[in-house]
Amino acid sequence: MQKNGVLVWSRRILIAAVGLLLLTVAAAWLYLRGSLAQLEGSRQTAGMETTASVARDEHGVPLISGGSRGDVAYATGFVHAQERFFQMDLLRRVSAGELSELFGERALPLDKSHRLHRFRARAELALQSMSPADRAILDRYVSGVNDGLNALSAKPFEYALVGLPPRAWAPADTMLVIWAMYFDLQGSQEPRELARGWFKEHATDEQRAFLAPESTPWDAPLDAQAIAAADVVIPAAPPVWWGKPKAADAPAPTKVAAAEFLNTVGSNNWAVSGTRSDTGAAIIADDMHLGISLPTIWYRAALQFPDGKGGQRRMVGVTLPGAPLVVVGSNGKVAWGFTNSYGDYMDFIALDSDASKPGQVRTQAGWETPVLHEETILVKGAPATKLAVRDTSLGPIREAMGRSYALHWTAHLPGAVNFNLARMESADTLDQALTVAATLGVPAQNFVGGDDKGNIGWTIAGPLPRRAPAGVASTYPMSADDVAGVWQGWLSPAEYPKVVNPATGHLATANSRQLAGDGAALIGDGGFDLGARTHQVRDDLAALGTKTDVQKVYAIGLDDRALFLTAWRERAVATLDAKAVEGNPQRKEALALLKDGWSGKASVDSVGYRITRGFMYAVYDIVYENANAELATIDPKASMAAVSSRWPVVLARLLDQQPAGWLPPQYADWQALQVAAMDRVIKDLTKDGQPLSAATWGQRNTATSAHPMASAIPVLGKYLKVAPDMLPGDQHMPRVSGPNFGQSERLTVSPGHEEQGIFNMPAGQSGHPLSPYFLDGRMDWITGRASPLLPGAAQHTLTFVK
């Protein structure tokens, strides 16, 4: 009897446990379902001027239309909040330095570094200078965001995981979202400036001119075929740190170039004029390269509203969740795209002190007492942290390399963030668009635009400081006496450099030096890319011939030919000569793969490409190992690659000319150094016991994008990650791609002919893993398949009425 009783109770306990588990799973499922966006129905909404609707197609892409611009802003905010609120929350928190409130002490270092800039306080000031019309649009958007959040049956699932409720959206938060892009697009300038400061102190003028040239033959400026090469000789001797192994007690560099995606930047935009298009209108293409995560950074949309002239204005392109404007796209008359300009927009100014003037520092304006701000950082699960920020007339003070520096950054100045992108909605001509571009409050971008009459042009979009001609001097930390560090407001739109309707009938930028002429000094060099991508895009455009169309212009973004690495492959083959491969089967196999496993592209099945790429970076690691170890102690992101992205051209020249004075003493000759580099590559590619022949580029270049909360819920984590797809493409070619970096969107459009437009991006519209729109369209992005830019027929319609 007793045994039967135990069995009965065991069964009851098991049944109860299973039932409890099923109830828990059901509750979690219902909770997740409750945080899905509302797709259909009608909502009575306070504050509506007329009505608005959100008509989603089969991919979740909406046409958001309304009887007024304010009503469309409201509906846009509602949609953004319902599908992307957690992403919006992270954007405002990352710029304000408020992530620790959600994630605890692990986010504190990042919060401290970002809170130094006090962007939330600056956002409140920016609101005070907004025009009434802009503020009205912003306020309607904010209302839509908060109503969209509150209309969810359950709050976004991420907040259940962090254990905190979402905080309502405020007007300042939209400004912070724009400031978040300053960190994303110009944040690398800070470690670059510090790296160049160390470099200046540890190299002669002649060594710096050689190791960090201002241009290379790969540059493809907009105003010339090439940039005249400076007559820079190889100095007789290198810096003392050159080619030395790092000290035994030095920390390892945070990234070993041969194994990492170091110095990978991206973003391309290009234009073809109406003289070469099949419709007579310009063709604009844009693929902004950013970190790839889930959800993707952009939210696709078409916005339609009265144009004030008795007609309708339709905007189509991408929006940034957190703001109500189309960032890149077409308004039917003008189309435009952005790439990061990498101009010189940040200076480190060394501050003098004097014992007779306690508490004061000397800036360019003289002696001043920094204003002390005490910032309070809320930390989940721990006491709040206080951070003292000392602010000068030049910017906040940062301690580095044993000195106090004022961090002088365009992002700190009035006008750095504004709502002027809204003016692009009413631009009817390229000239109008170029004028608007120069007034934008965004991180300074290369703006390439074109209109329905066929005109194309380039300028800088965003604030450019008015400064004394600086040349290379301003790319290093400066003293308070350097005139190059004096800024006197912003340039006026009339002073901005422009290139309009070039004789070639095309324009292209890709993060490299834009100009060969005088206008280059207005931009400066804040870390330009090498130029090989721009060079390849420009040549691809020329190859299209006298007449082309949207499909052919779009295809340029899929070009993964390894033109830049071809010469490095030849060096790698020459390295593995008869002497090198004799008695060494691995080197012999590497040689065969370089010859037979080279497709001429960064294709997923190419072993030769991966070996070639690794060889170039292994040479970099050998000669810069000691310097990079030193730089890592100054800033984790400081490196010789940050000092100059042109290092591959410098190293190529050394390997080709082989000056005896630059050969590191541990090598018998330059051939021995290159063999050592190749051995490093072989060791890395076979370290897990796999054969060298299996080390394809796709094996290394495999997608790893994930939702920020993927690691927090291991059971569901696999649903918050992309499949480990092998990705073609790499840096130094139009199709830039890495495991979690690449083309965040591909857009090609001819204004007035949007029905021919092409678009794809690496994930879908929704940030919710249960939504059918979570990864919708990803395969188009992976394969490069051209999908329509305009939303298709409505499958779901949500309306807002008074």
Side-chain angles (χ1 to χ4, degrees):
M1 278 300 286
Q2 187 175 5
K3 183 176 180 180
N4 290 337
V6 171
L7 288 174
V8 168
W9 277 105
S10 296
R11 289 194 197 98
R12 290 175 178 174
I13 293 172
L14 179 60
I15 291 170
V18 171
L20 182 61
L21 178 61
L22 291 174
L23 286 173
T24 301
V25 171
W29 179 261
L30 290 173
Y31 181 89
L32 285 171
R33 296 285 304 175
S35 58
L36 283 168
Q38 180 180 352
L39 303 182
E40 297 180 319
S42 179
R43 299 188 61 87
Q44 191 165 7
T45 306
M48 296 293 290
E49 299 173 68
T50 58
T51 61
S53 66
V54 178
R56 289 178 171 89
D57 70 4
E58 62 178 326
H59 304 291
V61 180
L63 169 61
I64 305 174
S65 57
S68 74
R69 185 64 183 90
D71 289 346
V72 169
Y74 174 90
T76 305
F78 190 96
V79 168
H80 280 172
Q82 291 221 317
E83 303 216 88
R84 299 288 192 90
F85 188 82
F86 188 68
Q87 174 193 3
M88 295 163 58
D89 194 6
L90 293 186
L91 285 172
R92 65 175 170 180
R93 287 177 181 275
V94 77
S95 59
E98 297 170 352
L99 290 170
S100 298
E101 186 178 3
L102 287 182
F103 301 115
E105 291 180 302
R106 60 180 172 167
L108 199 52
L110 181 63
D111 275 354
K112 286 182 177 179
S113 68
H114 285 192
R115 189 65 71 90
L116 177 73
H117 305 280
R118 302 185 62 249
F119 282 141
R120 182 165 288 283
R122 299 183 197 278
E124 295 293 347
L125 291 174
L127 290 175
Q128 297 175 19
S129 63
M130 288 188 80
S131 71
D134 287 344
R135 184 58 191 263
I137 297 298
L138 175 58
D139 286 345
R140 290 300 293 143
Y141 176 78
V142 170
S143 294
V145 170
N146 289 322
D147 284 355
L149 178 64
N150 293 330
L152 292 171
S153 300
K155 300 311 178 193
F157 73 93
E158 295 93 344
Y159 295 97
L161 298 174
V162 298
L164 290 171
R167 189 173 68 202
W169 199 255
D173 294 331
T174 290
M175 312 308 278
L176 286 169
V177 164
I178 303 173
W179 258 300
M181 300 309 294
Y182 270 94
F183 281 123
D184 210 347
L185 298 170
Q186 295 181 2
S188 63
Q189 294 198 6
E190 193 170 340
R192 179 178 189 267
E193 194 91 7
L194 293 171
R196 287 177 71 85
W198 179 91
F199 179 55
K200 184 176 182 179
E201 293 177 359
H202 293 84
T204 65
D205 291 346
E206 293 77 14
Q207 291 165 346
R208 291 199 304 275
F210 171 65
L211 291 172
E214 295 184 50
S215 64
T216 77
W218 285 99
D219 281 302
L222 293 161
D223 58 346
Q225 187 63 22
I227 296 174
D231 187 19
V232 178
V233 299
I234 301 178
V240 295
W241 44 262
W242 173 265
K244 289 185 177 179
K246 71 177 182 65
D249 58 345
T254 52
K255 289 186 176 181
V256 178
E260 298 291 343
F261 285 79
L262 184 69
N263 206 42
T264 298
V265 301
S267 289
N268 313 304
N269 62 358
W270 56 96
V272 174
S273 73
T275 61
R276 294 178 56 199
S277 76
D278 61 341
T279 64
I283 302 174
I284 304 299
D286 182 83
D287 53 50
M288 297 177 284
H289 294 67
L290 295 164
I292 305 296
S293 61
L294 295 180
T296 188
I297 188 167
W298 307 114
Y299 185 86
R300 295 180 62 183
L303 313 180
Q304 187 166 301
F305 45 84
D307 63 3
K309 304 173 186 177
Q312 293 283 310
R313 182 57 57 109
R314 182 181 63 187
M315 308 289 299
V316 60
V318 295
T319 63
L320 178 63
L325 307 174
V326 170
V327 177
V328 160
S330 176
N331 68 12
K333 298 290 186 178
V334 176
W336 70 96
F338 293 134
T339 67
N340 200 12
S341 64
Y342 283 94
D344 185 13
Y345 311 124
M346 180 186 291
D347 290 337
F348 270 56
I349 309 296
L351 301 172
D352 293 331
S353 60
D354 189 321
S356 66
K357 296 179 174 62
Q360 292 188 299
V361 294
R362 187 171 75 89
T363 68
Q364 300 151 333
W367 290 94
E368 61 179 85
T369 301
V371 177
L372 181 64
H373 301 279
E374 186 177 75
E375 294 287 315
T376 301
I377 303 176
L378 301 179
V379 184
K380 179 185 173 184
T385 294
K386 302 291 185 181
L387 178 69
V389 177
R390 293 187 298 155
D391 220 348
T392 73
S393 58
L394 298 178
I397 295 176
R398 166 153 184 194
E399 305 294 333
M401 299 186 293
R403 295 208 62 171
S404 295
Y405 293 92
L407 193 58
H408 199 25
W409 188 12
T410 56
H412 296 147
L413 302 183
V417 166
N418 62 36
F419 243 44
N420 287 350
L421 186 59
R423 314 291 178 268
M424 203 65 72
E425 296 175 353
S426 58
D428 288 332
T429 67
L430 173 69
D431 286 344
Q432 291 173 1
L434 292 172
T435 300
V436 170
T439 71
L440 299 186
V442 297
Q445 300 289 292
N446 289 307
F447 173 96
V448 166
D451 62 25
D452 59 348
K453 302 297 189 296
N455 301 296
I456 60 173
W458 163 89
T459 190
I460 293 293
L464 287 178
R466 187 188 308 280
R467 65 194 308 168
V472 74
S474 65
T475 66
Y476 297 101
M478 293 178 283
S479 74
D481 297 318
D482 284 320
V483 296
V486 178
W487 297 359
Q488 297 177 334
W490 304 123
L491 294 179
S492 69
E495 296 173 287
Y496 273 54
K498 296 182 182 69
V499 177
V500 177
N501 290 332
T504 59
H506 60 254
L507 289 166
T509 78
N511 309 123
S512 59
R513 181 169 167 174
Q514 303 92 342
L515 299 171
D518 295 337
L522 300 176
I523 304 169
D525 183 350
F528 288 142
D529 193 27
L530 176 65
R533 263 186 308 119
T534 317
H535 200 283
Q536 194 161 332
V537 171
R538 182 191 66 182
D539 291 352
D540 284 350
L541 287 166
L544 291 177
T546 56
K547 285 296 177 182
T548 190
D549 57 32
V550 166
Q551 289 277 350
K552 294 173 184 174
V553 172
Y554 163 79
I556 290 174
L558 305 177
D559 182 4
D560 59 357
R561 290 175 300 147
L563 302 185
F564 176 74
L565 276 185
T566 297
W568 279 92
R569 173 184 173 255
E570 294 169 359
R571 293 184 188 97
V573 169
T575 294
L576 295 174
D577 58 14
K579 181 179 178 182
V581 302
E582 184 179 1
N584 192 312
Q586 283 193 313
R587 292 178 189 167
K588 186 175 182 180
E589 183 182 13
L591 177 61
L593 290 166
L594 282 166
K595 290 181 176 180
D596 302 328
W598 171 262
S599 63
K601 297 181 177 182
S603 49
V604 296
D605 59 348
S606 177
V607 180
Y609 179 84
R610 189 174 178 189
I611 294 173
T612 298
R613 185 189 195 276
F615 174 68
M616 181 180 75
Y617 279 102
V619 174
Y620 166 92
D621 283 329
I622 286 172
V623 298
Y624 287 135
E625 182 180 50
N626 180 262
N628 283 335
E630 292 286 337
L631 289 168
T633 65
I634 298 171
D635 188 285
K637 295 182 179 179
S639 67
M640 289 303 297
V643 168
S644 175
S645 66
R646 302 179 178 109
W647 60 264
V649 175
V650 174
L651 297 189
R653 185 178 175 189
L654 287 173
L655 294 182
D656 293 345
Q657 297 187 21
Q658 302 192 357
W662 283 71
L663 179 67
Q666 64 268 36
Y667 299 103
D669 51 35
W670 284 97
Q671 178 73 356
L673 183 151
Q674 292 176 86
V675 170
M678 184 58 71
D679 285 344
R680 288 192 180 200
V681 176
I682 294 170
K683 181 179 178 181
D684 176 62
L685 299 187
T686 58
K687 63 185 176 184
D688 295 325
Q690 73 170 356
L692 189 60
S693 59
T696 63
W697 176 238
Q699 182 201 56
R700 177 65 185 91
N701 201 35
T702 301
T704 60
S705 306
H707 188 284
M709 303 305 293
S711 61
I713 41 177
V715 175
L716 297 177
K718 65 179 181 179
Y719 300 108
L720 296 175
K721 300 177 182 178
V722 298
D725 301 296
M726 294 185 178
L727 304 174
D730 192 16
Q731 65 187 128
H732 303 316
M733 61 188 63
R735 192 171 188 167
V736 174
S737 69
N740 53 17
F741 181 86
Q743 294 168 318
S744 65
E745 47 77 45
R746 300 188 192 107
L747 181 153
T748 305
V749 62
S750 187
H753 303 272
E754 286 75 18
E755 68 282 354
Q756 299 176 9
I758 296 171
F759 183 90
N760 53 55
M761 65 184 186
Q765 291 288 94
S766 176
H768 199 300
L770 296 186
S771 169
Y773 311 132
F774 184 53
L775 290 176
D776 188 280
R778 177 170 171 79
M779 286 309 299
D780 288 351
W781 179 81
I782 290 173
T783 62
R785 184 168 57 233
S787 48
L789 170 64
L790 288 176
Q795 302 292 309
H796 305 281
T797 301
L798 174 66
T799 59
F800 303 89
V801 298
K802 290 184 178 182

